[in-house]
Amino acid sequence: MADSKKKTVLLIGGGSVGTIGAVNLEVGGLAEVSIILRSNYKAVTENGYSIQSCDHGTLKRWRPSHVLPSVPDLSKENIEPYDYIVLATKNYPDVPPSIAELVSPALPSSNTHTTLVLIQNGLNIEKPFLASHPTTPVLSGVSLIGSAEPQPGVIVQDDRDRLLIGAFDNPNIPKELGQEKAKEFVKIYSAGGKAECVYSEDVLHDRWRKLVYNACLNPICAITGLDSGRLRLADGAVEGLVRPAMREIVEAAKAKGVELNPKERDDVVEFMIEVDALELYLQPSMQADVGKGNYIEFENLLGEPLREGKAAGVPMPTLEVLYQIAKAVQWRTKEARGLVKIPPPKNH
Amino acid sequence: MADSKKKTVLLIGGGSVGTIGAVNLEVGGLAEVSIILRSNYKAVTENGYSIQSCDHGTLKRWRPSHVLPSVPDLSKENIEPYDYIVLATKNYPDVPPSIAELVSPALPSSNTHTTLVLIQNGLNIEKPFLASHPTTPVLSGVSLIGSAEPQPGVIVQDDRDRLLIGAFDNPNIPKELGQEKAKEFVKIYSAGGKAECVYSEDVLHDRWRKLVYNACLNPICAITGLDSGRLRLADGAVEGLVRPAMREIVEAAKAKGVELNPKERDDVVEFMIEVDALELYLQPSMQADVGKGNYIEFENLLGEPLREGKAAGVPMPTLEVLYQIAKAVQWRTKEARGLVKIPPPKNH
C-alpha cells in the first residue's frame, strides 16, 4: 500500500530520461514511483538498473518502488488513481497505438484527480489529451538532460538533469490548478537536491526554443548521416541547411507570439549551432533512432512547428523538404517493421 | 597498328554503359576500340567480359581490340592521336582528379584532330573542356540504356541501348565541324544495327529532359533510402517531394529556353514519375552508389541545374535543400575515404 505521505507516480517509459526522473522522485522521499518498462523489463526485474550518473553517482541494482510490465487497468485492479502519471516515452503520433490509448487504462477520461506530465519533445503534444481527457491537468516537461541507455537497464548520465515544468493551457479547468500541480511536481522532483527542476511560466517558449535544435539539427543529422560535430565541419552544411532551418523556426515562433531572440547578442540560432560543440561527434536522438532502425519523432518535432508556421504565413521551405524526407524515412521503417505492405515486383 | 579503314576510339570507363558502347562500336566494323579499365581490369584481361545483352545476346570472354589499365600518354608512347575519345565514367567534379586531367595524356590541349564524346549525365559537363581544350569538338551522349555490372567484368543489359548524340556548342570551332563529327559517330556506333543511336540537334533539350528524372528521383531515392518503386508507394512522397522537384526543373529549363512540356497532355513530369513503374523497386544510380559507399554525381545532376535555374530567377526551394543534403552525404563519403580529415573528439 502507498505511503500516505508520498505522492504516487506512475512513470511510463524507463529509458535514459525516465529512469533518472524515477531516481530523482524516489530519492527526494516525497514520491513513490511505479515504473512501466517494456524492452528492459526483464533486465531490470532480474538485476535492477545499473546507473552511472553525474548527478547521483553510481547506483547498482537500483529499482524504484514498483516495476511493472504494462500500464495497470484501474477499473480491474485494486489501485487508487495515481497523483501523477509521467510520460517519458518517445512520441510517434503517426505510429499506433497513440499515447492517449497507452495511458487510458490508468487514466479514466473523466479524471480530475491525476495530473499528467509529458516529458516529451515537440509541439502540440498535449492536444490529443485535451480531446480524450478534457479535465485532466497536463504539464509540460522539457528535459535538457544528457543521458543514454547503452544496454537494457544500464543508464549513463553524463550531463545534468535540467527539467522545465509548466502547465499546458487547458480551457476546461482553472489556470491556477495547472500551475499548482506544476509547482508541486517541481517540489517532489527537486526534493533530493540533485536535479535542476524549475517551474516555468512560459511552456510555449521552452518548447519552441528547444525546437531550434530539435526541428533542425536533429532531422538534418538523421537524414545526412552526419553527427552534430561532422555536420559543423562538412563543407557548407551549416550555411546551407542548419542556419536556414533554424531561422525558419525562429520566425515561426515569432509569428506564434514567442520571441526567441529578445536580444540580438544572444542569438538562439548561433547558440544552438554551438550547443554541443564540446561534445564533438554527438548523434542526436533521431540519428541514433535511424541507426537502430527505430521510428523517429518527426511529427511533433518537425511536422507540428512546420504546420504552425505555415498556417501563420511564415515561409518554411527548408523545413518543408526536411519534413517530407523524414516522412519517407519513417515510411521505410514502417515497411521494415511490417506496418505497411508493398506489392510484389512485376515481371517484365 | 590500327586498321586504316577504321576509326580509332579510346573508350574510358568500361562499366555497364561503356562496355555495351564498346560492343556496338566493334561489331559495326567501323571502329577499333581501346578500352581503359580500372576496377575490372584484372577480371577482363584474364577472362574477358561475360555479357548478357538484350541487344547482342550472350557474349563470352569478349574483349575489344585493346584493353589498357590507364590512359596512354601520347607524348611518350608511339600512338597516333585517336579519332574519338569516349568518356563513359561517372563524373564527380568535386572529387579530384578532374575528368579533364584524366583525359589530358591522350588529348593535347591544342588538339583539333580528336573528338571527345561525353556519355555522362548532367549539365555543363563540357565546360571544363572548353577551358582546357578550346579547339576540341565535344559531343554530348545521353544514354537511356538499362545495364548493370553485378560483378567485375560481368555485364547484364536488360533494356535497349538508346543513345542521343549531338554537338555541344563551342564558339572556338565552326558549328558544322561538331555536327559532322556527331553524325559520323552515330554512323560508326549504329553500324552493327543493334543500338538505337540517334543524332540530336538539341543537346540541351536532351540533357534537361533527362534531368527531370536525374535531378529529382535520383537524389530523392539516394537520400530517403527508398527505391523508385517504394518512393511511389510511400505516403506523400510523390506530392511532397518528387513532383515539386520535377516542376522546378521544368521551370528552370524553360527559363533557359528549353521547353520540356510543349503539349500539356504529354507532361514530362508525370511521364518521369511513371517511367520505371514497370520495373518496380529499381535503385537509381545515386542510391546504388550511396549503398556501395561510392561518390554520387550530385554536382552535374543537381548542382548545375540548380545554379542555372536560380541564376535565371527561378525559385527552386526543393532542389536547394536536396542539393545541400546531397553535398553533406558526399562529404560523409569523402571522410570515409580519407579525402577529408576531422579533428579528434574533445575531452569534457
Side-chain angles (χ1 to χ4, degrees), chain A residues 59-308:
Chain A
L59 303 175
K60 290 205 183 291
R61 303 187 72 79
W62 187 86
R63 288 187 195 88
S65 300
H66 311 280
V67 178
L68 308 172
S70 60
V71 175
D73 187 336
L74 299 196
S75 70
K76 293 180 184 159
E77 299 180 43
N78 185 24
I79 299 174
E80 290 292 304
Y82 293 94
D83 295 310
Y84 291 92
I85 297 180
V86 178
L87 272 161
T89 59
K90 298 270 171 121
N91 192 343
Y92 322 109
D94 57 317
V95 181
S98 74
I99 297 276
E101 284 174 74
L102 178 71
V103 172
S104 283
L107 189 69
S109 63
S110 58
N111 165 72
T112 53
H113 174 77
T114 305
T115 296
L116 201 58
V117 187
L118 305 180
I119 306 183
Q120 296 177 312
N121 287 315
L123 223 56
N124 295 336
I125 60 173
E126 77 284 15
K127 295 281 164 73
F129 294 102
L130 283 178
S132 63
H133 297 78
T135 57
T136 296
V138 184
L139 306 185
S140 160
V142 171
S143 172
L144 304 168
I145 199 171
S147 187
E149 186 178 15
Q151 298 167 45
V154 176
I155 307 290
V156 179
Q157 183 201 351
D158 61 3
D159 198 14
R160 290 210 60 192
D161 186 6
R162 288 156 295 160
L163 183 62
L164 298 169
I165 296 286
F168 284 114
D169 277 344
N170 182 345
N172 310 313
I173 57 172
K175 192 177 175 71
E176 296 70 30
L177 177 60
Q179 291 173 337
E180 274 166 34
K181 294 292 185 183
K183 287 172 184 168
E184 182 183 74
F185 188 80
V186 168
K187 186 178 149 208
I188 65 173
Y189 197 99
S190 305
K194 303 291 188 184
E196 191 181 320
C197 182
V198 177
Y199 172 72
S200 170
E201 279 286 350
D202 195 346
V203 161
L204 269 181
H205 182 275
D206 305 342
R207 295 199 161 263
W208 275 103
R209 185 178 165 86
K210 196 170 176 189
L211 285 175
V212 177
Y213 187 99
N214 264 339
C216 305
L217 262 171
N218 206 337
I220 292 170
C221 289
I223 290 165
T224 61
L226 296 176
D227 56 49
S228 67
R230 285 179 168 80
L231 200 69
R232 276 189 210 92
L233 296 167
D235 182 31
V238 169
E239 307 92 272
L241 284 172
V242 178
R243 201 171 274 127
M246 288 184 172
R247 294 270 169 234
E248 291 171 17
I249 288 290
V250 171
E251 290 307 312
K254 186 182 284 183
K256 299 296 291 182
V258 176
E259 181 54 74
L260 296 178
N261 268 341
K263 304 167 195 162
E264 274 304 315
R265 66 188 164 82
D266 300 327
D267 183 0
V268 66
V269 168
E270 299 311 317
F271 174 80
M272 290 295 178
I273 290 173
E274 294 305 324
V275 69
D276 45 24
L278 279 175
E279 276 191 88
L280 270 178
Y281 316 131
L282 177 82
Q283 289 199 349
S285 60
M286 267 193 214
Q287 186 188 6
D289 280 333
V290 167
K292 291 178 198 161
N294 289 342
Y295 293 116
I296 53 175
E297 296 188 288
F298 81 106
E299 280 294 0
N300 294 328
L301 267 54
L302 184 46
E304 287 300 321
L306 174 67
R307 287 184 279 269
E308 294 273 350

Side-chain angles (χ1 to χ4, degrees), chain A residues 223-226 230 233-236 240-241 277-281 317-318 321-322 324-325 327-329 331-332 335 342-346 348, chain B residues 223-226 230 233-236 240-241 277-281 317-318 321-322 324-325 327-329 331-332 335 342-346 348:
Chain A
I223 290 165
T224 61
L226 296 176
R230 285 179 168 80
L233 296 167
D235 182 31
L241 284 172
L278 279 175
E279 276 191 88
L280 270 178
Y281 316 131
T318 311
V321 179
L322 293 176
Q324 297 293 346
I325 294 171
K327 195 171 170 183
V329 169
W331 188 91
R332 196 178 73 196
E335 191 212 339
I342 64 170
K346 292 177 191 166
H348 69 106
Chain B
I223 290 166
T224 61
L226 295 177
R230 285 179 169 81
L233 296 167
D235 182 30
L241 284 172
L278 278 177
E279 277 191 86
L280 270 178
Y281 317 130
T318 311
V321 179
L322 293 176
Q324 297 293 345
I325 294 171
K327 195 171 170 184
V329 169
W331 189 91
R332 196 179 73 196
E335 191 212 339
I342 64 170
K346 291 176 191 165
H348 69 108

Side-chain angles (χ1 to χ4, degrees), chain B residues 11-20 22 35-40 44 49 88-89 149 153 155:
Chain B
L11 197 156
I12 302 175
S16 58
V17 174
T19 302
I20 300 300
I35 200 163
I36 311 293
L37 305 182
R38 279 178 292 193
S39 61
N40 55 5
V44 173
Y49 279 105
T89 60
E149 186 178 14
I155 307 291

